Amino acid sequence: MNFSNIKKVFKFYSLLSPLYLFGTFLGGFLVNFEVIVGFLFPILTKSIIDSLTLKIINWQAIFYLGFLYLLSLILMLIGEQVYIKNKYLAAFDLMNKIFSKSFFFPVKKLKEQGSAYYSTLILNQVNEAFGVLDYSYIRNIIVIFRMFFIMGIVFIWDRIFFLLFLINILIVAFYSEVINKKTQSYYSKGYEILRRAGSYIVETFENLHEIFAGEGIEKRKKGYKELTDEFINVGLSAEFIRARLDKLLVELPEYLSRLFIFVYGGILIASGKMTVGTILAILTYYSYITEPLYLFRSLVQVTVKLVSNFDTIFKFFEEAQEYEKMYEDGRILIRENSPIYSLKDVAFFYDERPVLKNINFEVVRGDRVAILGLSGEGKTTLLNILLGIEKDYQGEVEFLGNDIRKISPIELFKYIGYYSQQVGIFNDTLENNIILGREYNKKRLEWVIKELGLEHLRGRVLGEEGSFISGGEKQRVQLARLLYGNKDIFIIDEPLVNLDVINENFLLEKLKDFIIDKSGILITHKPNILRLANKIIVLMDGSIVGVGPLNELVKSNPLCKKIIETYLESAKELRDEINRK
């Protein structure tokens, strides 16, 4: 194991709770107490055998041997409980840390990485990284220290045997260095492929309807097979290298060393220079010396495989620390008479292509501002800036007099009631889907459920992504969240989409009643939503091309006029067609 990997192991330990880490190591040492005192066993055995050759029973040595075995068994039973408990607590404590710190990450980054990435990180990679707290790691630490005592004893008995043992130790060191260099890149690449495969699976099953409609099953199968084939090739390359090194640097030296011990030991016994008990002790010590080789072999393999896991975990915490620092002083200080939103010379580029250009406007108390524009005009980008999700813009954006770049979305949403066009439903009851993490207010919850006609869903689990309810019911749940939160400031993004006319009109009236005494922003291109606003901002080609009340813009702004006229013409054509029939 090279030094950089050892440093990474200790860096990983530093992420864990000191209490749980100590408990895990304590339990591991107790479980391996037999290994700690193991160097005494061959000495006691040697004494017993040499006494037997003189037809004497060494009861004292037998008593000590039995006592050590019994003590080892008792401590192993105690240590097992301590080890298992603390390792589990340490693992889940780290998982909770990662999950909690994920909320500091920009939403854009979370979306770019994908939910499968973070799920794999928390549930799989952290779990696998805890291989460095396995018995074999703790045992190997003890075995390495024990090795020094053994080498001292063997040095006293015979210098030739000492040299043989030293050669085997050097082989261990050489083996670990070679296998690390030869296989680490393969294992790192393999884990990266597994993460991609995880994202591919999630993406597939989240879009089954589109795959069925687009006759894309075979294509998805082919894509997944390509990923698995790539993983197999990488994995086999690493395992073939490991197998060859095992034969050359593990098995061959062991065969030759044991043969040498028998031949040279036999000569020493025959010449009366060494006893049978001593040779048996040396054979036992040789197995103790070679034990680290086997442990180290598995240890090196595990560590090399886990280096990519460590790197991913370390990268996560480094990024989390940066985002936490970014938002350290990110509390909102409400400044008197400051506008709710103030945008000055805001611009945004995507791959050098301008999406927003020279955006300037304010939203003050009492304003219900509608952002109007066709698809692809920059409305979504502007929304993400207003919500603190997109930070890579030019210009200045302030919320209640605070630089929005320095405000975390967590803090921002304490002041904003948000209605998203993408309705996220949790696999939980209706009530929990409405309340979410806010304070429970029974009276208000009952009023919201009754007001929006959701009584039939009381106590029901709504299913994953709301699979047990209709699209209209999802919209009602989304509006219920807005009403229950009852924030003074709102941002509403394309509300009431994909609804029938009756349901849309019903919910539109409820939305109108809610926002009438509040301030905020509506993003829409639908005329019936536009009439809820007292000021319209028209976006076209990423620029503001009109500002004012709806009745004025219909006359003066070509885009606004076209949208309203198209809507009215469609309604007139439908009415005329019905009348003709």
Side-chain angles (χ1 to χ4, degrees), residues 88-148:
Y88 268 77
L89 290 173
F92 284 99
D93 181 62
L94 184 59
M95 290 178 186
N96 287 331
K97 282 180 184 176
I98 293 175
F99 185 73
S100 299
K101 288 182 179 293
S102 298
F103 293 101
F104 288 98
F105 278 62
V107 176
K108 181 181 178 183
K109 183 169 183 63
L110 292 173
K111 294 290 185 184
E112 284 175 352
Q113 295 279 29
S115 56
Y117 177 89
Y118 292 97
S119 175
T120 301
L121 171 63
I122 294 171
L123 298 178
N124 294 351
Q125 291 188 267
V126 168
N127 188 49
E128 290 179 1
F130 267 80
V132 296
L133 274 175
D134 198 67
Y135 287 147
S136 60
Y137 257 79
I138 298 173
R139 183 182 180 86
N140 202 59
I141 292 169
I142 298 168
V143 163
I144 289 170
F145 281 106
R146 188 181 68 177
M147 187 187 300
F148 294 108

Side-chain angles (χ1 to χ4, degrees), residues 27 39 120 138 165 181 211 215 224 247 262 272 289 312 314 342 352 364 384 396 412 414 417 434 481 491 527 550:
F39 74 94
T120 301
I138 298 173
F165 282 26
K181 287 182 178 179
I211 291 169
E215 300 177 21
Y224 184 71
K247 290 289 183 293
F262 281 116
I289 289 293
T312 304
F314 298 155
S342 173
E352 299 184 357
V364 299
N384 288 335
E396 298 177 18
L412 196 66
K414 291 178 182 177
I434 294 172
R481 291 168 175 169
I491 290 183
L550 181 61

Side-chain angles (χ1 to χ4, degrees), residues 330-353:
R331 292 184 179 179
I332 294 173
L333 301 174
I334 300 175
R335 293 173 172 81
E336 233 180 287
N337 300 322
S338 62
I340 295 170
Y341 275 106
S342 173
L343 284 78
K344 297 177 183 176
D345 301 323
V346 174
F348 184 84
F349 296 84
Y350 184 79
D351 288 341
E352 299 184 357
R353 180 179 65 85

Side-chain angles (χ1 to χ4, degrees), residues 237-499:
S237 297
E239 290 302 312
F240 285 152
I241 292 170
R242 181 194 58 77
R244 288 194 294 270
L245 288 174
D246 280 357
K247 290 289 183 293
L248 182 63
L249 296 176
V250 177
E251 295 178 18
L252 181 60
E254 183 181 350
Y255 295 150
L256 295 175
S257 297
R258 288 189 180 277
L259 182 62
F260 179 83
I261 291 171
F262 281 116
V263 173
Y264 180 64
I267 293 170
L268 292 177
I269 292 171
S271 62
K273 294 180 180 178
M274 192 166 284
T275 65
V276 173
T278 305
I279 293 299
L280 289 175
I282 286 174
L283 276 169
T284 305
Y285 278 147
Y286 178 74
S287 67
Y288 286 0
I289 289 293
T290 55
E291 182 184 8
L293 181 59
Y294 291 106
L295 288 173
F296 222 75
R297 178 177 60 178
S298 62
L299 204 62
V300 168
Q301 291 167 18
V302 169
T303 305
V304 169
K305 289 179 182 178
L306 296 185
V307 162
S308 60
N309 288 333
F310 291 154
D311 289 342
T312 304
I313 293 168
F314 298 155
K315 182 182 177 184
F316 172 88
F317 276 99
E318 286 164 7
E319 290 181 344
Q321 190 175 28
E322 287 178 16
Y323 293 127
E324 283 178 305
K325 282 182 180 177
M326 184 188 301
Y327 298 133
E328 251 177 357
D329 301 319
R331 292 184 179 179
I332 294 173
L333 301 174
I334 300 175
R335 293 173 172 81
E336 233 180 287
N337 300 322
S338 62
I340 295 170
Y341 275 106
S342 173
L343 284 78
K344 297 177 183 176
D345 301 323
V346 174
F348 184 84
F349 296 84
Y350 184 79
D351 288 341
E352 299 184 357
R353 180 179 65 85
V355 177
L356 294 174
K357 296 171 281 187
N358 197 35
I359 303 296
N360 291 273
F361 69 85
E362 285 188 350
V363 178
V364 299
R365 295 283 179 183
D367 275 350
R368 298 183 303 281
V369 177
I371 309 289
L372 172 65
L374 300 177
S375 299
E377 299 288 2
K379 298 195 302 296
T380 300
T381 301
L382 180 58
L383 170 69
N384 288 335
I385 291 172
L386 295 172
L387 292 174
I389 293 170
E390 181 58 73
K391 306 283 189 182
D392 297 328
Y393 57 85
Q394 298 175 7
E396 298 177 18
V397 180
E398 290 186 348
F399 177 76
L400 299 176
N402 299 261
D403 184 354
I404 205 167
R405 277 197 181 95
K406 297 178 181 177
I407 304 172
S408 76
I410 297 171
E411 187 72 15
L412 196 66
F413 276 92
K414 291 178 182 177
Y415 294 82
I416 296 173
Y418 178 55
Y419 185 118
S420 170
Q421 63 172 305
Q422 302 294 331
V423 185
I425 302 293
F426 298 93
N427 192 17
D428 206 339
T429 62
L430 168 70
E431 292 81 357
N432 287 339
N433 264 284
I434 294 172
I435 298 169
L436 297 174
R438 293 171 288 211
E439 185 179 348
Y440 174 63
N441 185 322
K442 183 178 180 182
K443 185 178 179 182
R444 184 158 190 84
L445 178 63
E446 292 297 321
W447 174 80
V448 167
I449 290 174
K450 185 177 179 181
E451 189 74 8
L452 295 177
L454 290 167
E455 294 97 328
H456 63 293
L457 295 179
R458 286 179 188 276
R460 275 179 53 183
V461 173
L462 306 186
E464 189 178 10
E465 294 294 326
S467 54
F468 299 157
I469 59 176
S470 68
E473 288 168 331
K474 289 180 183 179
Q475 292 290 337
R476 290 179 186 233
V477 172
Q478 185 78 313
L479 184 54
R481 291 168 175 169
L482 186 69
L483 269 58
Y484 183 83
N486 198 29
K487 304 283 178 66
D488 291 332
I489 300 170
F490 63 82
I491 290 183
I492 298 172
D493 178 26
E494 299 288 4
L496 314 180
V497 294
N498 302 321
L499 286 177

Side-chain angles (χ1 to χ4, degrees), residues 372-374 538-540 545 557-564:
L372 172 65
L374 300 177
V538 184
L539 269 185
M540 186 174 179
V545 294
N557 185 269
L559 178 60
C560 185
K561 182 178 180 181
K562 185 175 181 181
I563 288 172
I564 299 298

